């Protein structure tokens, strides 16, 4: 077994982020404040949205998005099962029911056909995911949802910097949720963002993240006169800190370089794996480009070893890979939850794995990953 283990990912953090965080701490303003506001503006501009609302995670971003839509008990929301479980959980947080739809086998994303197959009179929204950074065909989904008179929420947790039709994922979205977890390209440790073009929604979302207050802590502290806040509705404590936002601003400045490097590495994986039988790598869809937040491969059904055994063999060779995207409907939390047949979801979840991909991955390390895969493909 190799002692030089190749991790599945390493966040791109360095001295600049450390200085930014230190400056925030030394400023005395470490809670939600001016740096959060600056990060919101910069992020919204980057994705082509009018407003950004920073929150504590993508999960809380999804929750608040569904609250803003007024969803609740008796409502159904179409979601992919092929997603991190937070996507479906957010629907339950508001008392609605997730209805699992199957996905496109090439992209792992919802399509108009898979949504339509499970849509019912109780359907009140569609929650589409840009899975692993692969952009969903939101132009088709938005048009279909408009015809169905349904709002489309975009879970863009992994998709900062991905594009659809040459435009950033998030541009033109009714409402989109984003993640800054360390597995994402832009990280603040933990944290999330909501983007929307609707000013009234943005104002309400800012209140909701801060206990429903009509005046934020930053507004109260910056005022020269006493501000007596009111609590307009039951809200939440979903705030981001200025320390996180300071890091996020630095990270956002690195985004173009991150995407270029990841696409370069993905292209090299493509070339190296081209003659390895039984592997289908993730690729750009016709309608857009991925940021390659994840580089996954799908095993042929007759691949010599199963996915879990392949993961074990890679680990033995010093390669840290991960299982592919989960199927939420198969998790214990959703045991007994009714679901239509989801053959593509179950196939991708069962037979896919995520390979190491990070900005400092070397050619020698990539060669080792591919050599380990090639050995297992020989049987």
């Amino acid at each position: 077994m190799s002692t030089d283990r190749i991790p599945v990912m390493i966040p791109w953090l360095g001295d600049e982020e450390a200085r930014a965080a230190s400056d925030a701490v030394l400023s005395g303003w470490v809670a939600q404040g001016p740096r959060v506001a600056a990060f919101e503006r910069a992020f919204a501009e980057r994705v082509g949205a009018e407003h950004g609302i920073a929150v504590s995670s993508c999960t809380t971003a999804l929750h608040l998005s569904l609250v803003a839509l007024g969803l609740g008990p008796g409502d159904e929301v179409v979601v992919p099962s092929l997603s991190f479980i937070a996507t479906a959980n957010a629907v339950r947080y508001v008392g609605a029911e997730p209805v699992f739809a199957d996905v496109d086998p090439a992209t792992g994303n919802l399509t108009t056909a898979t949504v339509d197959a499970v849509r019912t009179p109780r359907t009140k929204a569609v929650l589409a995911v840009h899975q692993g950074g692969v952009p969903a065909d939101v132009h088709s989904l938005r048009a279909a949802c408009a015809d169905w008179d349904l709002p489309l929420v975009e879970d863009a947790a992994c998709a900062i910097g991905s594009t659809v039709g040459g435009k950033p994922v998030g541009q033109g979205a009714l409402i989109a949720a984003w993640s800054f977890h360390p597995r994402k390209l832009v990280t603040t440790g933990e944290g999330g963002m909501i983007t929307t073009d609707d000013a009234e929604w943005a104002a309400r979302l800012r209140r909701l993240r801060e206990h429903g207050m009509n005046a934020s802590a930053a507004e109260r502290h910056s005022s020269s006169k006493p501000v007596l806040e009111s609590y307009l509705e039951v809200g939440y404590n979903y705030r981001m800190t200025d320390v996180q936002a300071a890091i996020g601003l630095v990270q956002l400045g690195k985004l173009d370089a991150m995407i270029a490097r990841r696409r370069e590495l993905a292209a090299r994986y493509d070339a190296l794996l081209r003659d390895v039988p039984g592997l289908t790598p993730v690729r750009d869809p016709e309608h857009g480009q991925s940021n390659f937040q994840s580089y996954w491969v799908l095993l042929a059904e007759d691949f010599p070893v199963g996915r879990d055994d392949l993961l074990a063999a890679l680990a033995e060779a010093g390669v840290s890979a991960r299982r592919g995207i989960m199927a939420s409907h198969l998790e214990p939390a959703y045991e007994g939850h009714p679901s239509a047949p989801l053959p593509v979801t179950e196939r991708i979840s069962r037979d896919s794995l995520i390979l190491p991909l990070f900005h400092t991955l070397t050619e020698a390390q990539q060669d080792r990953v591919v050599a380990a895969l090639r050995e297992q493909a020989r049987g």
Side-chain angles (χ1 to χ4, degrees):
M1 177 175 176
S2 171
T3 56
D4 180 18
R5 177 165 294 278
I6 303 170
V8 71
M9 67 79 59
I10 301 173
W12 189 354
L13 295 166
D15 291 342
E16 195 175 355
E17 286 87 352
R19 286 193 297 271
S22 175
D23 288 345
V25 170
L26 294 174
S27 76
W29 197 295
V30 294
Q32 179 180 283
R35 289 171 177 81
V36 168
F39 185 40
E40 289 173 333
R41 290 190 296 270
F43 190 90
E45 181 179 1
R46 175 65 202 226
V47 304
E50 291 294 323
H51 306 280
I53 303 93
V55 290
S56 55
S57 70
C58 187
T59 305
T60 58
L62 288 169
H63 180 201
L64 290 187
S65 298
L66 300 181
V67 171
L69 290 174
L71 299 176
D75 296 336
E76 293 179 349
V77 180
V78 176
V79 302
S81 171
L82 191 77
S83 183
F84 184 57
I85 201 165
T87 304
N89 285 352
V91 177
R92 282 189 160 176
Y93 292 166
V94 296
E97 283 301 315
V99 174
F100 293 120
D102 217 349
V103 294
D104 176 72
T107 66
N109 290 324
L110 294 182
T111 68
T112 56
T114 63
V115 172
D116 199 26
V118 298
R119 190 170 56 91
T120 77
R122 292 175 58 195
T123 304
K124 300 303 179 185
V126 176
L127 205 175
V129 179
H130 300 279
Q131 195 52 257
V134 178
D137 185 0
V138 289
H139 292 160
S140 295
L141 285 167
R142 289 172 188 171
C145 284
D147 289 341
W148 299 327
D149 195 24
L150 294 174
L152 176 66
V153 179
E154 297 181 31
D155 181 340
C158 301
I160 177 65
S162 298
T163 62
V164 179
K167 303 291 180 60
V169 164
Q171 183 169 323
L174 178 70
I175 195 163
W178 310 80
S179 173
F180 305 127
H181 182 273
R183 286 281 301 268
K184 310 306 188 285
L185 271 70
V186 170
T187 183
T188 59
E190 290 283 0
M193 187 79 71
I194 307 167
T195 55
T196 182
D197 291 340
D198 191 301
E200 290 186 8
W201 280 7
R204 185 178 179 220
L205 288 163
R206 290 195 175 96
R207 291 195 302 268
L208 284 170
R209 72 175 172 189
E210 197 166 5
H211 304 286
M213 278 194 290
N214 67 342
S216 71
E219 290 168 339
R220 288 184 287 123
H221 285 290
S222 62
S223 175
S224 60
K225 298 179 181 179
V227 176
L228 302 178
E229 75 279 7
S230 296
Y231 297 82
L232 305 184
E233 60 182 312
V234 174
Y236 308 88
N237 184 1
Y238 286 171
R239 291 170 292 195
M240 175 181 281
T241 71
D242 257 28
V243 177
Q244 291 171 294
I247 294 169
L249 283 163
V250 176
Q251 287 273 287
L252 205 55
K254 293 180 175 180
L255 181 57
D256 287 335
M258 291 180 191
I259 295 168
R261 177 59 175 155
R262 295 179 87 89
R263 289 188 60 81
E264 176 187 3
L265 290 166
R268 190 168 189 271
Y269 264 137
D270 287 347
L272 292 172
L273 294 171
R274 194 164 292 136
D275 65 343
V276 179
L279 296 179
T280 302
V282 62
R283 302 220 198 292
D284 285 329
E286 290 184 4
H287 56 263
Q289 286 192 336
S290 174
N291 62 7
F292 285 101
Q293 183 270 339
S294 292
Y295 186 94
W296 76 79
V297 295
L298 181 67
L299 306 182
E301 298 197 62
D302 61 352
F303 198 78
V305 297
R307 192 273 312 278
D308 293 352
D309 288 338
L310 179 56
L311 286 172
L314 290 172
E316 184 65 23
V319 175
S320 295
R322 294 289 185 271
R323 70 168 183 167
I325 302 151
M326 67 190 298
S328 299
H329 75 286
L330 298 180
E331 292 298 317
Y334 285 89
E335 185 175 357
H337 187 79
S339 174
L342 302 170
V344 177
T345 293
E346 293 180 8
R347 164 94 166 90
I348 294 175
S349 184
R350 181 186 67 238
D351 295 331
S352 64
L353 68 156
I354 296 169
L355 302 183
L357 186 66
F358 47 92
H359 74 288
T360 55
L361 184 70
T362 66
E363 290 189 0
Q365 288 175 317
Q366 263 195 310
D367 292 343
R368 278 180 52 199
V369 174
V370 173
L373 287 168
R374 194 182 301 276
E375 181 178 349
Q376 296 302 311
R378 286 196 291 263

